[in-house]
Amino acid sequence: MLKNRIIPCLDVKNGRVVKGINFVDLVDAGDPVEQAKIYDEQGADELCFLDITASNENRNIILDTVKKTAEKCFMPLTVGGGVRTLEDIRNLLLAGADKVSINTAAVNSKNLVKESAEKFGSQCIVVAVDAKKVKENKWEIFTHGGRKSTGIDALKFVEKMETMGAGEILLTSMDRDGTKKGYDLDLTKKVSNLVNIPVIASGGVGSLEHLLQGIKIGKANAVLAASIFHFGEFSIQDAKKYLDLKGIPVRI
Amino acid sequence: MSITVIDYGSGNLKSAAKALEAAANNINLSSKIVVTADPKIIKQSDRIVLPGQGSFRDCYMGIKKIPGLSETLNEFVLVEKKPIFGICVGMQLFAKTGFESQETKGFGWIDAEVRKINNMNKKLKLPHMGWNEIELKKDNFLFSNIKNKSHMYFIHSYEFMTRQKDYVAATTNYGNSIIASVFKENIVGTQFHPEKSQKNGLLILENFLKWKL
């Protein structure tokens, strides 16, 4: 049976982890490779790097980070943040990423998702959707890390992305991101039911119960979280044991 | 031992090469791992790994585009009968025909076809993506030290189908039973990614390197 995936996400800026695990025995807590190794040992199902480097001249640092991680961690790795062109995607894949997530450019560059899915295969193209609730049962797409409104309906957008060849949707609720109040379950469920590609729930996890809700109520295929794992509150094993106990299929 | 990862412009070759390197280290095997499409180097290799990402058609066309590559691979596999390991679409290319985007010929080393996974009237999401258990079909060196029902990382929308059940080394379940690994003489392949399947995946690569034909 296919298992639900638990995906820890690391925010990386100029090659350094911004929000990371606070382990005292870590030689270099800011080194994304060191952090990735811990998640690998804990049995994470995938890893996600979000590159939040602001300046263009430092953008290539992420390639080096991906390269070093892929040499040490033999597990699936998704990398996103600032992906704008086919060349960006190619470089990340060549560095060792298995999947590349496209956010702002999926909205702004009309054919990027289609062209990249054709070129590299749908299996490695993730569309990262940042959605904000605007009224009951209506969500809108935001870009630029959630700062810019687009007026685009989120549900219509994910359907379109699937048609264009996206292999997966990474769905983040901007209302919940950073709140620790749990996923936007209405949104997650609507998107999961709408598309026939896997959906990763993201944004708002503050407890293990939230992961359970994302899968059970939100019908997500995978759940992503950052801070609950980073600050050593819970390990990946804790999350998996909890989900297993609640009857959710996970890889233990 | 010299091992060549065939480079025909398909996706993530680095991971496969690095995982082979780690596997060789784990078993104290002195190895030289090269990523190339150069027929001369391939001919001199002891074993080869054929990775594959993207569509069956693109991968096969990618191989065909490189002068002498498909001939060299045929000779390596069918005449020299040296060990080859196909990963994901690399394994699918062993089949006679693929039906992704349009009908495309494969190497035909195994009498098989590659067709889209049945999504059971949209009940199943595609790609089949993530960790799934494999069911070992028979005692096979490739899976020695691997427990039945071990989890492996899959990511594919098309499946390898053959009536020659003798060649099926492992299956997995996604709606229906899906072939997870094939095995025929000097030819082995996995639909899942051993280079992404953590410790179990490395064990499989170690077994491939230890294989004595």
Side-chain angles (χ1 to χ4, degrees):
Chain A
M1 184 184 212
L2 185 68
K3 301 301 189 292
N4 293 103
R5 287 167 283 152
I6 315 288
I7 308 175
C9 179
L10 291 164
D11 287 359
V12 182
K13 190 176 181 182
N14 300 319
R16 306 288 292 172
V17 175
V18 179
K19 288 186 286 182
I21 318 165
N22 263 340
F23 287 149
V24 275
D25 53 352
L26 216 56
V27 184
D28 179 359
D31 181 359
V33 186
E34 290 291 317
Q35 305 247 346
K37 274 159 69 182
I38 290 175
Y39 286 138
D40 186 19
E41 280 157 25
Q42 288 185 355
D45 297 314
E46 282 181 23
L47 270 177
C48 179
F49 281 155
L50 179 63
D51 183 22
I52 53 169
T53 304
S55 65
N56 276 326
E57 61 262 36
N58 287 338
R59 294 222 62 100
N60 282 333
I61 299 173
I62 190 72
L63 296 178
D64 191 49
T65 305
V66 171
K67 222 176 263 175
K68 286 183 180 143
T69 307
E71 282 172 12
K72 300 273 185 228
C73 302
F74 301 106
M75 62 182 300
L77 175 62
T78 301
V79 186
V83 176
R84 289 186 186 88
T85 62
L86 289 175
E87 198 56 30
D88 292 339
I89 298 169
R90 184 200 308 277
N91 289 339
L92 285 168
L93 294 176
L94 286 178
D98 299 288
K99 298 188 256 183
V100 171
S101 90
I102 310 173
N103 176 235
T104 301
V107 178
N108 292 346
S109 324
K110 238 168 111 196
N111 286 319
L112 183 65
V113 171
K114 189 165 183 281
E115 283 170 7
S116 55
E118 277 167 7
K119 195 150 190 84
F120 308 108
S122 289
Q123 86 289 336
C124 66
I125 304 301
V126 182
V127 172
V129 174
D130 292 344
K132 210 175 210 167
K133 193 167 182 170
V134 284
K135 59 179 176 200
E136 206 48 38
N137 282 320
K138 198 159 172 63
W139 292 265
E140 194 181 309
I141 300 289
F142 280 67
T143 58
H144 299 83
R147 292 188 305 271
K148 209 169 158 189
S149 133
T150 63
I152 299 168
D153 181 79
L155 299 179
K156 282 188 188 134
F157 183 72
V158 292
E159 271 190 307
K160 190 174 147 203
M161 290 300 111
E162 180 183 15
T163 324
M164 287 195 143
E168 192 170 36
I169 299 288
L170 167 54
L171 179 68
T172 305
S173 157
M174 298 316 293
D175 304 301
R176 296 301 179 93
D177 204 26
T179 64
K180 294 190 164 250
K181 284 183 183 162
Y183 300 118
D184 182 334
L185 296 171
D186 277 346
L187 169 70
T188 310
K189 191 178 169 181
K190 285 219 158 61
V191 171
S192 297
N193 286 338
L194 198 61
V195 294
N196 295 303
I197 51 179
V199 173
I200 307 170
S202 153
V205 174
S207 71
L208 297 182
E209 199 190 346
H210 292 151
L211 300 176
L212 173 69
Q213 291 170 341
I215 296 166
K216 211 168 174 179
I217 303 169
K219 309 284 176 207
N221 305 92
V223 282
L224 181 141
S227 52
I228 62 158
F229 297 130
H230 295 331
F231 301 114
E233 272 173 79
F234 300 103
S235 68
I236 304 287
Q237 288 106 317
D238 293 336
K240 288 192 169 184
K241 275 183 200 150
Y242 171 82
L243 291 172
D244 180 53
L245 213 65
K246 299 284 178 188
I248 300 290
V250 286
R251 178 181 65 120
I252 300 225
Chain B
M1 180 184 285
S2 64
I3 304 138
T4 300
V5 178
I6 310 295
D7 177 10
Y8 57 97
S10 161
N12 194 346
L13 302 171
K14 202 181 169 63
S15 297
K18 287 290 166 195
L20 284 162
E21 210 174 287
N25 278 337
N26 287 350
I27 54 169
N28 290 317
L29 175 78
S30 99
S31 64
K32 192 176 155 223
I33 294 152
V34 185
V35 180
T36 184
D38 183 345
K40 261 189 275 165
I41 297 173
I42 295 169
K43 273 179 198 155
Q44 287 160 8
S45 318
D46 297 308
R47 40 208 70 183
I48 54 179
V49 172
L50 184 66
Q53 264 183 16
S55 80
F56 186 100
R57 187 175 175 80
D58 283 356
C59 286
Y60 195 68
M61 293 303 182
I63 289 174
K64 280 283 177 193
K65 243 192 258 164
I66 299 169
L69 180 57
S70 74
E71 293 80 357
T72 306
L73 292 176
N74 271 315
E75 196 184 299
F76 188 97
V77 172
L78 300 176
V79 184
E80 301 280 332
K81 290 203 174 289
K82 289 198 266 187
I84 180 171
F85 193 146
I87 299 173
C88 198
V89 183
M91 173 187 99
Q92 294 183 351
L93 292 174
F94 296 171
K96 279 190 172 157
T97 322
F99 291 91
E100 188 165 356
S101 66
Q102 53 177 296
E103 192 174 325
T104 309
K105 258 185 58 151
F107 283 111
W109 297 329
I110 295 178
D111 188 1
E113 287 177 358
V114 175
R115 290 184 183 274
K116 192 153 198 176
I117 296 171
N118 179 352
N119 70 0
M120 318 296 267
N121 281 325
K122 300 197 170 176
K123 256 187 260 161
L124 296 175
K125 299 210 164 188
L126 289 181
H128 170 222
M129 185 191 286
W131 297 82
N132 207 335
E133 291 152 338
I134 56 166
E135 184 99 32
L136 303 178
K137 287 297 155 191
K138 51 185 165 189
D139 257 349
N140 191 314
F141 81 93
L142 195 63
F143 296 104
S144 62
N145 299 322
I146 305 269
K147 282 193 200 123
N148 194 30
K149 305 260 180 201
S150 287
H151 287 94
M152 301 291 168
Y153 187 78
F154 289 82
I155 177 162
H156 63 126
S157 297
Y158 287 75
E159 61 171 314
F160 191 93
M161 298 171 124
T162 179
R163 285 200 194 90
Q164 299 184 284
K165 300 297 174 210
D166 281 357
Y167 299 145
V168 178
T171 58
T172 189
N173 202 289
Y174 194 57
N176 290 306
S177 175
I178 285 176
I179 293 175
S181 173
V182 291
F183 188 100
K184 182 190 177 186
E185 299 164 26
N186 54 320
I187 304 167
V188 297
T190 58
Q191 178 61 66
F192 56 84
H193 288 268
E195 80 282 19
K196 291 288 157 188
S197 296
Q198 292 171 333
K199 284 195 184 98
N200 282 331
L202 289 188
L203 269 175
I204 289 174
L205 295 176
E206 288 166 26
N207 290 337
F208 175 66
L209 297 179
K210 284 194 282 194
W211 187 14
K212 288 192 182 74
L213 262 175

